[in-house]
Amino acid sequence: MQISHIDAEQLCELLETGERLATLDYGPQRVEVLHWSGVDLLAVVCPVTGGAVVVSPCAEDGDSGGSVHAHARQMMAA
């Protein structure tokens, strides 16, 4: 899993170019479930700034046949 932060402008671009699968509203908190650039991701929108924390798959995670921790150990051993 990869976690990153995007600003309000980047979120607008993501919403315009991606396919919105669902919107989850929890009071002032909104979570957008999107399909973008071949992957499904979550964008947890900040009600104050309009930016978001984005959670997306990572090529090195267990679902993709690897482990982030194993990858880090390999890098440290080199």
Side-chain angles (χ1 to χ4, degrees), residues 1-72:
M1 161 179 23
Q2 179 175 341
I3 300 172
S4 54
H5 177 267
I6 59 175
D7 62 25
E9 185 176 316
Q10 292 168 315
L11 177 61
C12 286
E13 183 180 326
L14 185 68
L15 292 171
E16 288 174 0
T17 59
E19 175 188 356
R20 188 175 295 171
L21 303 176
T23 300
L24 311 171
D25 286 310
Y26 299 100
Q29 187 68 62
R30 187 176 92 229
V31 178
E32 298 288 351
V33 182
L34 303 162
H35 185 77
W36 182 79
S37 193
V39 298
D40 293 339
L41 53 87
L42 300 175
V44 182
V45 182
C46 176
V48 176
T49 67
V53 172
V54 178
V55 181
S56 58
C58 177
E60 302 299 332
D61 67 14
D63 293 335
S64 301
S67 160
V68 172
H69 302 290
H71 180 69

